[in-house]
Amino acid sequence: MAQMHQAATGSTCPGCAEPLESGDLYCGACGYDLSAVPAAGVDTPTVVMGSPVAGEAWPAARAADGSGAPVHLPTDLPGTDSGGSPLPSHARSDGPEAESEPDEYPLPAPDPRAVDLADLGEQATHVSTPVKVCVACRAGRVDEDGYCENCGHAQPRERDHMEQELGPVAAVSDRGLRHHRNEDAFAVSTTALPDGSPAVVAIVCDGVSSATRPDDASAAAAARANESLLQALPQGTHPQQAMHEAIVAAAEAVNSLAAEPAPALEHDPHRHQNAPACTLVGAIAAGGLLVVGWVGDSRAYWVPDDRTTPPARLTEDDSWAAQMVAAGLMTEADAYADERAHAITGWLGADAYELDPHTASFKPDRSGVVVVCTDGLWNYAEGAEEMAGAVPVDAAERPLHSAQVLVGHALDGGGHDNVTVAVVPFAVPAPGAGSAYN
């Protein structure tokens, strides 16, 4: 006969979940025989809570007399904080007491059941290569060009969202909310001048969507300009001259794409093929100088750390709107409200009218940041004051976070275009530190 079990106070019937009274042998609502309910067992966890290793108990401190009374640990023990609590492993001192924990742990022996794909030969490809499924229809297979063989939907690409932080400079690029791919590109880097002082570089490029392979054009231009600057600056070339040469090198890289065989446009057979093209804007912070260079309508803005002082736009667009304003034919507000405003008059590409790199050199008297961006951002913060209002006040200390915030600002505003932004902090040298360039 099963052991008799009486209901405990606060328990419920297993049959109907009605509350039970202490000592009940049967449920008053449904008549369930409570004697058939086994007594609850003791919950014994397999991992001792608070232990550093699963399954290994952390020994409790006891009094010297073995009474089990808690012991108040001194607060100056190695491996504890000011309250006597254990410190994280990375915060503990490496005293002699720590020798019991080895610097390296032996790797476990190989599992004999594991399959070495290198020994499978041609079969390895069938085992290790997963079949990509379309993110849109969830049924079609994705071909090598990144399109679904069932519905033709373009798949997300690695360039849809990119972030990079390199020392004091950072950049973020996003596809935006309307475009099917990201045609922007960037490059950030750091190097040193001949005197050992640091130089920080940021390049941002915007592919011309009406051209063929705009994404390839922007990537080639950004990479080549960055490479050129990393070669020239350590050799002592003046930053403004180095920027000019970098833009020329970037243009040659984009021009060379036009000589390559055009890829088959099976997914867009009606698209007109012309030379790949992009815009470029770059900034160098080196030797107490701030140098910018550009071709097209991507921009650079100066935002001082002291927001009581005015920000400034450092570049002038190669665009229809800028030409109208320069000629005095339209106000800036009217020109940029026109549907022709963003028609560019200068770009990098084999079919450009002529290459006319713009460069400018500044010597700020206070610290701040340079915002280097495509029109995907400045469309939502066009004026210098608007841009400064969108830049976080701690941008110099947190450039990556600031670039993320600025991309978010564009996406929140509608994200109609690809958006790319680099944030370059500029610290004014201390008095008497001197400059490599005067």
Side-chain angles (χ1 to χ4, degrees), residues 146-221:
Y147 289 84
C148 176
E149 294 180 344
N150 178 48
C151 67
H153 193 280
Q155 304 301 295
R157 296 170 170 83
E158 183 180 357
R159 285 176 61 174
D160 284 355
H161 186 88
M162 301 178 291
E163 297 184 359
Q164 185 178 4
E165 183 176 30
L166 188 62
V169 61
V172 177
S173 181
D174 192 90
R175 186 185 68 182
L177 305 179
R178 302 295 181 90
H179 278 241
H180 73 284
R181 66 179 175 184
N182 189 359
E183 297 171 354
D184 289 355
F186 68 80
V188 294
S189 59
T190 60
T191 186
L193 301 179
D195 64 357
S197 61
V200 180
V201 172
I203 301 293
V204 168
C205 297
D206 184 354
V208 178
S209 296
S210 59
T212 303
R213 300 167 62 193
D215 52 338
D216 292 339
S218 62

